[in-house]
Amino acid sequence: MVKKHLLLLLFQIKSTFHSIPRLIICTALFAAAVLALGICGNAILGRSAEDTVNVKVAAVIPKDDPDIALAFNIIANMDSLKSVCEFETLDMETALDRLDKGELSAIIQIPEGFIQSLLYGSNTPGNVIVPENAGMESMLFCSLIGAGAQFLSYSEAGIYAVGDLLRMNGFNSSASSAQDALYDYYISYTMNRGNFFKPEPVSATGSLSIAGYYICSGIVLMLLLCGMTVSDRFSNRPAAVMESLRTSGISKAYIKISELTGVTLMFFVLFAAVLIAAGSGFASEYIELTPGGILIFLVLTASVSSFIMLLSCLADGGLVSVLLMFLSSAFMMYAGGRIVPSSYLPPAIENIGKMLPAYSWCRLAESVTYGQINTNSLVMTVAYGLAFILISIIVTVIKGREK
C-alpha cells in the first residue's frame, strides 16, 4: 500500500517537472511584465519623492497696524513655514481675484487689533478663505492654521490659569508680571522650530528601497501568474481514473497532496535558482538569501501553490481558472499596496488588502530576500496554505460525489 502511494507521488512530481520548459517561457514573459511594472512604480515613487509642496498664501492685513505687520513678517520668514508656504500681502479684492484664477491656495484675513484681542482675551477671529474645490495645498495650509490655533488656545489657557491662581491667593501684584513672563516664554518657544518640527523620513515602501520593494512584490506576482500555466495539474480527473485509484486504496485527499507537492517543488526549484543567481549577480544589493530564508521560501511557494490549487479545483481548470487567477492576483496585489503603494490607496481598499493572503506573502518574501524572518507573516502564510488545502479537498470530494 505504501509503495503505491510513493509511486503516485513520484509520478506526480516527475510529470509536473516535465512542464518546466513551458514554465520557464511563461516565467520570462511574466518577468518582463513585472519588470515593466517595477520601472513604472520606481518612476512614480521617485518623482513623488522629489516633488515639493508650495502653498501660495495671500495675507490681507490692516495698513495702519505696525504690530500685525511686524508679527506677520516674523511668521512668514520662519524656516518651518518658508519650506512649505509662500506668503505675500495683498488687498482683499486682488487676493480674491487671484484665488478664483487658481493662483493662490488660500487667503488669510487678519482683522484690526488682532494682537491686542489675543492679549486681552477678546480673541477676535481671523478669516481663512480657500477655493470651493480645495486641493492638497489648501488643505495643508488649513491643517497648519488649525495646529497653530490649537497651540494658541493651550497657551492662553495656561496664561489665564496662572493669573487667576495668583489673584485667588492674594498675589494680585504678581499676576501681571507672571503673565508677561509666560508670554515671553511661549513666544520664544514658538520661534524655535525644533520644538515643533523633527525630521522623520517617511517612505511609501516602508524600510525597503524602491527596487527591493518591487523585487519582493514581483516574486509573489510571478508565482501567482505562473499558476496559470499549471492549472491543468489540479484539474479534476475522469471518474474512471478516480475510481481506479480509490480501489487501489488512494484517497482523493492524497491525490491533491501529491499534485500540490509536485507543483510546489517545481516552483521552488525554478524560483530558488533564479533568486540565488540574482542574489549573486545584479541584485546582490537587494537579496540576502540564508538557509533559513530558503526554507521559508519553500513555505511561501507551498502556500501560493495551494491557492492556485483551490482556484483550479473550483473552476476545473481551463480558461475560467486562468481568468480567476489573473483577476484575483491583480486585485490582491493592488489592494495589498504592491502595484501602487498602500499610502496612495483609498483607506477602504487598504484595509481590505491587509486581510488578503498576498499581503502576508509579500511581507514573507521581504523576510526571505532580506534575511529577517517575519513571524506574523510566516504564521499567516502557513494558515492560509492549510485553509486552501482543506477547502480544495472538500471541493474535490463534493464534485466527485456529484459526478
Side-chain angles (χ1 to χ4, degrees):
M1 182 66 69
V2 175
K3 184 178 180 180
K4 291 180 180 179
H5 285 76
L6 288 176
L7 284 175
L8 177 64
L9 179 60
L10 292 174
F11 173 78
Q12 287 292 343
I13 294 174
K14 183 179 178 181
S15 61
T16 303
F17 269 75
H18 285 162
S19 305
I20 281 186
R22 179 178 61 176
L23 183 62
I24 290 175
I25 295 174
C26 294
T27 302
L29 294 175
F30 293 142
V34 171
L35 181 62
L37 177 65
I39 292 173
C40 294
N42 183 73
I44 292 172
L45 294 180
R47 185 171 65 248
S48 63
E50 296 173 357
D51 289 344
T52 56
V53 178
N54 185 21
V55 184
K56 295 183 178 181
V57 181
V60 179
I61 61 177
K63 295 181 179 179
D64 301 326
D65 196 329
D67 293 335
I68 292 180
L70 176 62
F72 174 76
N73 287 332
I74 292 174
I75 294 172
N77 287 283
M78 290 177 65
D79 290 339
S80 54
L81 289 179
K82 283 179 66 178
S83 61
V84 178
C85 300
E86 181 181 331
F87 291 96
E88 58 180 317
T89 56
L90 297 172
D91 61 84
M92 179 58 76
E93 184 178 352
T94 304
L96 289 173
D97 182 60
R98 292 185 59 183
L99 186 71
D100 290 338
K101 294 178 179 178
E103 298 175 0
L104 294 175
S105 302
I107 300 172
I108 179 168
Q109 182 183 23
I110 303 175
E112 294 185 4
F114 182 71
I115 294 180
Q116 288 74 15
S117 72
L118 296 179
L119 294 175
Y120 296 106
S122 58
N123 294 337
T124 303
N127 296 321
V128 177
I129 304 171
V130 296
E132 291 185 3
N133 300 318
M136 182 184 68
E137 292 82 3
S138 301
M139 301 309 296
L140 175 60
F141 180 71
C142 289
S143 298
L144 289 172
I145 291 292
Q150 191 174 33
F151 177 74
L152 179 61
S153 66
Y154 293 154
S155 302
E156 285 189 321
I159 292 169
Y160 297 149
V162 167
D164 292 343
L165 179 64
L166 291 174
R167 293 187 183 94
M168 288 171 57
N169 290 277
F171 298 99
N172 293 352
S173 59
S174 303
S176 297
S177 60
Q179 287 181 316
D180 290 340
L182 273 179
Y183 280 127
D184 294 338
Y185 173 78
Y186 283 130
I187 289 175
S188 63
Y189 185 88
T190 305
M191 293 299 115
N192 182 5
R193 69 174 297 195
N195 293 325
F196 290 93
F197 298 94
K198 294 181 180 179
E200 182 179 345
V202 177
S203 172
T205 60
S207 59
L208 298 178
S209 64
I210 297 176
Y213 180 84
Y214 279 106
I215 285 175
C216 297
S217 304
I219 291 170
V220 176
L221 182 57
M222 287 174 61
L223 278 170
L224 286 167
L225 293 179
C226 285
M228 294 189 292
T229 67
V230 297
S231 61
D232 59 312
R233 305 302 307 171
F234 299 112
S235 301
N236 289 327
R237 302 174 184 275
V241 175
M242 295 300 293
E243 180 62 23
S244 175
L245 292 172
R246 187 188 66 80
T247 56
S248 299
I250 298 175
S251 65
K252 294 178 180 178
Y254 183 78
I255 295 172
K256 286 301 170 189
I257 296 297
S258 300
E259 294 170 347
L260 177 64
T261 302
V263 171
T264 298
L265 289 177
M266 182 180 66
F267 278 173
F268 174 73
V269 169
L270 179 60
F271 279 87
V274 172
L275 282 176
I276 292 172
S280 5
F282 68 93
S284 56
E285 183 181 350
Y286 309 106
I287 299 177
E288 299 177 8
L289 286 178
T290 63
I294 294 176
L295 183 60
I296 291 174
F297 184 66
L298 177 60
V299 176
L300 170 63
T301 306
S303 184
V304 176
S305 299
S306 66
F307 175 75
I308 296 169
M309 178 173 70
L310 173 60
L311 295 185
S312 299
C313 291
L314 288 172
D316 288 336
L319 180 60
V320 177
S321 295
V322 171
L323 290 175
L324 277 176
M325 289 177 198
F326 177 77
L327 294 175
S328 61
S329 300
F331 178 74
M332 287 194 300
M333 296 301 288
Y334 171 75
R338 294 294 164 165
I339 296 177
V340 177
S342 56
S343 56
Y344 295 87
L345 296 176
I349 297 295
E350 182 182 359
N351 292 332
I352 292 173
K354 290 180 179 179
M355 296 184 290
L356 299 176
Y359 180 81
S360 297
W361 291 336
C362 290
R363 296 291 299 276
L364 192 61
E366 293 171 5
S367 67
V368 170
T369 55
Y370 284 85
Q372 298 176 350
I373 299 176
N374 188 318
T375 306
N376 291 335
S377 298
L378 178 59
V379 171
M380 291 302 299
T381 297
V382 172
Y384 280 124
L386 293 175
F388 293 147
I389 292 171
L390 178 61
I391 297 172
S392 298
I393 292 173
I394 293 173
V395 170
T396 302
V397 170
I398 293 173
K399 286 192 173 184
R401 288 177 179 175
E402 290 175 354
K403 292 181 180 180

